[in-house]
Amino acid sequence: MNHNYVFIGLKLLGALGLLIYGMRMMSDALQKMAGPQLRHILSRMTTNRLSGMLTGTFVTCAVQSSSATTVMTVSFVSAGLLTLGQAISVIMGANIGTTLTAWIMSLGYNVDLTNVVFPSFFVGMVLIYKKRYRFAGDFLFGVAFMFLSLVILSTAGREMDLEHNQSVVAFFASFDTGSYTTILSFLAIGTLITCVVQSSAAVMAITILLCSTGVLPIYLGIALVMGENIGTTATANLAALGANTEARRAALAHLLFNVFGVIWVLCVFYPFVNLVCSLVGYNPNSSGQATLLPVVLATFHTCFNVTNTAILIGFIPQMERVVCWLLPMAEQKEQDEFKLSYIEATLIQTPEIAVLQAQKETANFALHMQQMFNMVRELLEEKDSEKITALFKKIERQEDSSDKLEMEIARFLEQVSSRHLSDSTKMKVRQMLREISELESVGDSCYNLARTLKRRDESGRNFTPALYTRLRALMELDADALSQMNVVMAGQNGDHAIRDTYRIENEINQLRRSLNDENMRGVDEGDYDYTVYTLFADMVNECEKLGDYVVNVVEARLGMIKQIQ
């Protein structure tokens, strides 16, 4: 029979593209439907190795992408939401969860999925038009696209009729399946192709297609599957390139985990593969039974990842030490400027989760503002002009860097907002933008206070001991407000949080009015001149403004938390 191999080849490429798109659509839809829930699952259900592994398995089975789970996990490590040890256990589970994809694909080559495809398209379309259920509709469309691609791949495989193409059969028969050189060559091919296409599912589909036609021996097909396990780690490692050291360590642990698995399987390759074949009832040395080969590949994929996890789950602390040794933490030098610590533009592949990184960065921004205010309090007590000048310059640099920090966080949130987000996540982004704006205003107030104290030093005037005492009391209240703000930003808020913040603000307002009255009497009675009066009034009014900005930050954060709950 004369086949149009060009047309069939294009059909195969289109089917692979449809497969990747369908799985991506499923993953994105599930993350939008369950973004906050996934956050809670990953951050709270990883208390020990076993729960972390089960969590990774569950999440990967749900989103149908080990790469999505791994990138999500690396993002959490980057944001400080997971420890390295927790991340390693989740990654182990992700490797088990991804075996479900192989089973779905093997099902597609043995069962007619056409009856599922078209009803899924219809129901998905109806749900998409209902705004409330549009993400569920997107998920069903993803399922339909994935199943349709498997139907097309299966049909194209039969149309190619490779088992009767003597040149193709002779090509694969020319490889010595009993040679480790051949096995290593196909392992390298599987790794390279997976790194290039960034989808182990697509390479698995090609492998199952070739094996199901009977032209690719099972030993070579399994070698390709082993290579896919290594190649799939490229996604997380590429995403972590620009991230912090902890994130890069988590990605490296994923690579080491899979490489170790491949090494021990290679040591017992033929006995292990024969054992898997016997479980399915397939004889590698006999012809025929090609319909069993997709099941053999799926079974091997599962046995490989489950056994590898069973071996290494008890050695997570040792793996942690190895990756820490391979990627040592860079020495931290004391810096005057604030810099991003948690958010990474390269890890924005999961927008619902990226918001959590921004929350962590915003909390860190709040801590920086408290440190900046502490410098202002230090400046108030300083009497040496040279030290005052040096400290003022440091505060000036920090005020400039706080402006930059606000813009960088805002830019990151804008990038996240450009993606398709759930309504609740859009609300979080808006409230976070308000937080960083108010935090930057806190930095402006600190700088204005520092400028006033610098003017005090340059004028040669000084506050009276009574004014100093009253000013210290007012700044102590501001410090309490900032401390309370950071308790809220860290998520340790209760019902009393907003009441405490309002109470401190009321005390600040009352003291400001009292100090302004006392200040007016002091200048009227000649206790000090007008220059001291204006300097003190500027300090008091700016402290009151700072307290207002703190209240705004707390209100925004508590409003966001109520939205999540």
Side-chain angles (χ1 to χ4, degrees):
M1 180 183 272
N2 186 19
H3 296 284
N4 187 345
Y5 285 109
V6 174
F7 177 75
I8 296 175
L10 291 174
K11 184 187 289 188
L12 284 173
L13 290 175
L16 289 174
L18 195 62
L19 173 67
I20 295 172
Y21 177 74
M23 295 189 69
R24 178 65 182 269
M25 197 172 184
M26 288 171 57
S27 178
D28 287 348
L30 275 168
Q31 290 175 53
K32 290 168 190 171
M33 285 192 291
Q37 287 74 16
L38 287 178
R39 184 272 307 268
H40 291 303
I41 289 170
L42 281 175
S43 60
R44 295 184 181 180
M45 293 182 65
T46 53
T47 52
N48 57 59
R49 301 171 196 174
L50 182 61
S51 65
M53 183 269 293
L54 292 174
T55 300
T57 303
F58 168 77
V59 172
T60 305
C61 287
V63 302
Q64 275 299 289
S65 172
S66 62
S67 294
T69 304
T70 306
V71 170
M72 204 184 302
T73 304
V74 170
S75 301
F76 274 34
V77 174
S78 176
L81 299 171
L82 286 181
T83 65
L84 180 58
Q86 290 172 326
I88 293 173
S89 65
V90 172
I91 288 169
M92 288 180 174
N95 276 30
I96 295 176
T98 193
T99 61
L100 179 63
T101 305
W103 283 105
I104 293 173
M105 289 183 182
S106 67
L107 179 70
Y109 282 87
N110 292 285
V111 177
D112 185 8
L113 297 174
T114 309
N115 296 329
V116 180
V117 171
F118 298 107
S120 297
F121 274 128
F122 177 75
V123 176
M125 180 186 67
V126 172
L127 293 176
I128 286 174
Y129 276 98
K130 291 181 176 292
K131 187 176 180 182
R132 183 178 177 184
Y133 302 107
R134 65 185 183 278
F135 296 135
D138 287 341
F139 174 75
L140 279 178
F141 255 69
V143 171
F145 280 134
M146 183 179 72
F147 284 171
L148 179 61
S149 69
L150 294 177
V151 170
I152 295 172
L153 284 170
S154 179
T155 304
R158 289 192 294 270
E159 289 176 354
M160 291 175 73
D161 196 26
L162 292 179
E163 63 267 31
H164 296 111
N165 188 316
Q166 294 304 316
S167 59
V168 175
V169 172
F171 172 75
F172 285 108
S174 65
F175 294 101
D176 182 7
T177 57
S179 168
Y180 265 98
T181 302
T182 303
I183 301 301
L184 289 173
S185 298
F186 273 76
L187 188 151
I189 291 170
T191 301
L192 180 62
I193 295 175
T194 308
C195 287
V196 171
V197 301
Q198 288 287 291
S199 173
S200 59
V203 184
M204 175 66 79
I206 295 171
T207 305
I208 291 177
L209 172 65
L210 291 173
C211 286
S212 66
T213 59
V215 298
L216 182 66
I218 188 61
Y219 294 113
L220 303 187
I222 285 177
L224 287 175
V225 172
M226 291 165 62
E228 294 155 19
N229 272 270
I230 297 177
T232 193
T233 65
T235 304
N237 279 278
L238 288 172
L241 280 178
N244 59 30
T245 304
E246 284 296 302
R248 286 187 283 118
R249 286 173 174 174
L252 179 60
H254 187 204
L255 174 62
L256 293 180
F257 172 76
N258 283 8
V259 168
F260 175 82
V262 168
I263 290 173
W264 73 256
V265 167
L266 284 174
C267 293
V268 292
F269 182 75
Y270 293 101
F272 189 80
V273 173
N274 291 336
L275 175 62
V276 171
C277 291
S278 66
L279 292 175
V280 179
Y282 174 78
N283 185 356
N285 299 316
S286 65
S287 58
Q289 296 181 295
T291 55
L292 284 177
L293 288 175
V295 180
V296 174
L297 290 173
T299 304
F300 171 82
H301 198 213
T302 302
C303 291
F304 168 76
N305 284 295
V306 170
T307 307
N308 198 31
T309 299
I311 292 172
L312 287 179
I313 196 167
F315 296 95
I316 288 179
Q318 288 75 16
M319 288 182 65
E320 195 171 350
R321 284 197 289 270
V322 169
V323 295
C324 289
W325 175 72
L326 291 172
L327 287 175
M329 191 71 72
E331 292 185 10
Q332 297 291 327
K333 296 181 180 179
E334 188 176 351
Q335 296 177 338
D336 292 342
E337 296 185 356
F338 308 139
K339 292 186 177 180
L340 295 176
S341 301
Y342 298 101
I343 63 177
E344 307 287 349
T346 53
L347 297 179
I348 204 172
Q349 298 182 26
T350 313
E352 297 281 341
I353 306 301
V355 173
L356 302 173
Q357 294 175 270
Q359 279 184 245
K360 192 82 172 180
E361 194 67 70
T362 305
N364 195 46
F365 191 1
L367 285 172
H368 284 320
M369 292 302 96
Q370 186 170 18
Q371 294 169 8
M372 191 173 175
F373 182 74
N374 289 337
M375 290 182 189
V376 174
R377 297 178 73 186
E378 183 182 345
L379 189 62
L380 174 69
E381 307 297 337
E382 188 58 62
K383 299 296 187 292
D384 185 275
S385 292
E386 290 185 3
K387 291 182 179 178
I388 288 173
T389 300
L391 192 53
F392 174 77
K393 287 182 178 178
K394 189 173 182 179
I395 294 172
E396 192 174 38
R397 287 193 296 271
Q398 292 201 342
E399 196 278 331
D400 182 60
S401 65
S402 70
D403 292 342
K404 295 176 182 176
L405 195 59
E406 178 201 11
M407 295 309 298
E408 289 183 19
I409 297 174
R411 193 176 298 114
F412 181 82
L413 289 172
E414 286 171 0
Q415 290 177 345
V416 175
S417 299
S418 66
R419 310 297 179 90
H420 295 291
L421 300 174
S422 63
D423 293 337
S424 63
T425 303
K426 290 177 183 177
M427 179 64 71
K428 292 181 217 172
V429 171
R430 286 195 293 268
Q431 291 175 321
M432 218 178 309
L433 287 169
R434 182 191 172 197
E435 285 177 38
I436 61 173
S437 175
E438 297 294 343
L439 284 170
E440 194 278 329
S441 295
V442 171
D444 289 342
S445 283
C446 290
Y447 178 58
N448 290 337
L449 289 169
R451 283 201 307 174
T452 302
L453 291 173
K454 186 73 166 57
R455 280 167 39 216
R456 174 207 62 179
D457 181 62
E458 291 171 348
S459 68
R461 304 292 199 277
N462 211 341
F463 301 132
T464 65
L467 291 181
Y468 268 116
T469 299
R470 302 294 274 166
L471 196 53
R472 290 188 190 104
L474 181 59
M475 296 183 80
E476 183 66 32
L477 287 174
D478 275 334
D480 290 344
L482 285 164
S483 297
Q484 179 64 28
M485 177 189 75
N486 277 301
V487 169
V488 173
M489 296 297 283
Q492 303 170 4
N493 59 295
D495 294 336
H496 65 280
I498 192 67
R499 291 197 297 271
D500 283 350
T501 300
Y502 286 149
R503 175 184 56 77
I504 295 171
E505 184 199 21
N506 287 332
E507 291 180 11
I508 291 173
N509 291 337
Q510 291 172 9
L511 185 55
R512 175 185 64 93
R513 288 192 290 269
S514 173
L515 291 182
N516 282 336
D517 291 341
E518 290 180 20
N519 192 27
M520 183 64 72
R521 285 197 299 272
V523 73
D524 287 343
E525 293 171 4
D527 294 339
Y528 42 81
D529 61 18
Y530 187 76
T531 301
V532 173
Y533 164 80
T534 56
L535 290 171
F536 187 77
D538 288 346
M539 291 290 294
V540 170
N541 292 330
E542 200 61 56
C543 283
E544 193 273 334
K545 288 181 184 177
L546 190 149
D548 289 341
Y549 297 139
V550 169
V551 171
N552 293 340
V553 173
V554 172
E555 286 178 341
R557 177 52 64 102
L558 288 179
M560 183 186 342
I561 292 171
K562 289 174 185 175
Q563 181 71 24
I564 294 173
Q565 293 173 341

